[in-house]
Amino acid sequence: MSGKVRISALVAVLALLLLPLAGATPVAAADGPKVTLSKSQAGTGGSITVSGSGWRTHALLMVLICGQATPARGVIGGTNSCANADGRAVTTDAKGVFSKKLPVSEPPVPCPCVVHVATVTGASASADAVFQVAGHAVEPLPAEPSTGRLSVLSDTRLDGSSGLLTWFGAPASRTLVFTVGNAGSSPVKNPVFQVGTSHGVFAPQWDDQQFSGTIAPGGKAEVKLPVELSAGAHGDYSVSLKYGGRVLAEEPWGVGRPWGVTLFWILLCVVVPAAVFRVGMAVVDRLRPRKARRSTGPARHRDLRLRLRLRLPEQLALRLPKSGTAAPYTASVTSTLPWFTPDSDPGTAGRLSAPHDDSPTSPTTPTRKGLQ
């Protein structure tokens, strides 16, 4: 029994020793990341040592000096208010602790200033520490905006459809519809939203659009904002909604290809060459000689053959010999060649009757002596 009592007492002592350690871990995590500075003020050209604890292990951090900022309100103008050229990057160790030497430089905006530390990758986390740049201008912070806060209460949607003109390359348009609610303690009057459209890996192109109306605390309203793309745009687009520098919603938008434009170019490539060919043939027919136009063509050849067939019997003349003569009859055909006329035809010149022998010794011709 004594052995069991000793073991129980040992377990109780160990539990009492480990209980404070177990409770310390969540407290440290609840405090979040912290930043401390070796100096609270320094001039340009000097340097300070920035230390931090409570950060995520092996996290990559960026350390900057920023103007127009306080730990309570943060960096109002974002990283555009920081001396980015002289910033430093640092990685935390296995315990989430870091220490880095930072050169002092003037931010592009007046102070109050802070040393701003924020994560570069992974879960977002940041912390600020008050710092004064010696000799740098100091101006009051801009007025704090109203406490009204808008949030999207319903899913966003794109209303509308593409018409016939969109099929021929007209700009595609939709209406972004969503419901917002005011979760703040003051009304929001005429809020200005930013609507952006992006295609592929490109960043959104933001367009400011104002909603006319007042949203009371705890109230809600349906907002309709027009969205339009450029002419001929097609493919997968994304419509984003931003308010107060925070993206509230994103909606995909698939835009079909304007096939009417493609059909137009195809018809243009077919019709224009055909019209040019017809015009060219008409000009060639107008400029060539008239004789060539009359003597060419299949219709002209058929007409000539038909005329030759019809005129051939008229040009054929049969001449019979006189009765009592023994000479055979011959057929005389009038020449149709253009370079011979009936009077100059070498085959018929001086031959107007049947051929006969005119020699004085012909037996059929009586002589003067015989007549005597």
Side-chain angles (χ1 to χ4, degrees):
M1 295 294 296
S2 61
K4 294 182 178 180
V5 173
R6 291 177 181 177
I7 294 175
S8 300
L10 182 60
V11 171
V13 172
L14 291 176
L16 291 174
L17 293 175
L18 295 176
L19 183 59
L21 297 177
T25 302
V27 172
D31 292 342
K34 295 181 179 180
V35 176
T36 58
L37 307 177
S38 62
K39 299 178 183 179
S40 62
Q41 181 177 348
T44 304
S47 62
I48 58 174
T49 301
V50 183
S51 304
S53 61
W55 295 85
R56 192 173 66 252
T57 60
H58 305 293
L60 179 61
L61 307 177
M62 178 60 70
V63 184
L64 300 169
I65 296 178
C66 303
Q68 289 288 293
T70 60
R73 294 183 58 179
V75 182
I76 297 176
T79 55
N80 292 331
S81 302
C82 304
N84 299 309
D86 296 318
R88 292 294 183 267
V90 63
T91 303
T92 59
D93 57 13
K95 297 181 180 180
V97 178
F98 73 92
S99 179
K100 187 69 174 180
K101 194 172 183 179
L102 178 67
V104 178
S105 59
E106 295 183 351
V109 295
C111 285
C113 300
V114 297
V115 174
H116 180 70
V117 182
T119 56
V120 178
T121 59
S124 177
S126 62
D128 299 322
V130 178
F131 180 72
Q132 178 63 38
V133 180
H136 192 56
V138 179
E139 294 182 2
L141 295 177
E144 191 172 359
S146 64
T147 56
R149 292 184 293 109
L150 297 181
S151 59
V152 177
L153 303 180
S154 64
D155 294 336
T156 58
R157 69 178 188 273
L158 292 173
D159 289 348
S161 59
S162 301
L164 181 61
L165 294 180
T166 305
W167 200 68
F168 283 95
S173 61
R174 295 289 188 275
T175 302
L176 181 64
V177 182
F178 57 94
T179 302
V180 295
N182 186 1
S185 58
S186 62
V188 179
K189 183 178 181 181
N190 300 330
V192 177
F193 297 93
Q194 288 183 306
V195 179
T197 56
S198 60
H199 179 57
V201 298
F202 297 98
Q205 300 293 327
W206 299 102
D207 182 23
D208 293 341
Q209 297 189 18
Q210 186 176 27
F211 170 74
S212 300
T214 302
I215 305 174
K220 61 181 182 180
E222 186 181 45
V223 181
K224 297 181 179 180
L225 303 176
V227 184
E228 185 175 287
L229 301 178
S230 59
H234 61 277
D236 295 330
Y237 283 80
S238 178
V239 180
S240 304
L241 176 67
K242 182 191 290 186
Y243 177 75
R246 184 166 55 96
V247 178
L248 301 180
E250 291 184 354
E251 186 72 17
W253 184 9
V255 184
R257 182 181 294 273
W259 292 108
V261 179
T262 305
L263 179 61
F264 170 78
W265 285 110
I266 293 175
L267 294 178
L268 188 66
C269 293
V270 173
V271 173
V272 170
V276 172
F277 176 76
R278 294 294 299 272
V279 172
M281 293 301 297
V283 172
V284 170
D285 185 68
R286 176 76 63 177
L287 296 178
R288 65 180 177 176
R290 183 175 300 178
K291 293 182 179 181
R293 284 184 290 178
R294 289 182 177 180
S295 61
T296 59
R300 178 64 179 173
H301 291 299
R302 288 195 299 268
D303 188 36
L304 289 177
R305 289 196 296 269
L306 182 60
R307 290 182 181 180
L308 289 176
R309 292 175 182 175
L310 293 177
R311 294 177 59 184
L312 185 59
E314 298 177 0
Q315 297 171 355
L316 182 62
L318 298 178
R319 298 180 179 273
L320 297 178
K322 296 180 180 180
S323 59
T325 62
Y329 70 88
T330 60
S332 176
V333 180
T334 305
S335 174
T336 60
L337 296 178
W339 51 85
F340 294 124
T341 61
D343 295 336
S344 62
D345 190 348
T348 59
R351 298 272 184 169
L352 298 180
S353 62
H356 58 278
D357 190 2
D358 293 337
S359 62
T361 59
S362 175
T364 58
T365 304
T367 60
R368 183 178 303 272
K369 184 178 178 178
L371 292 177
Q372 294 177 357

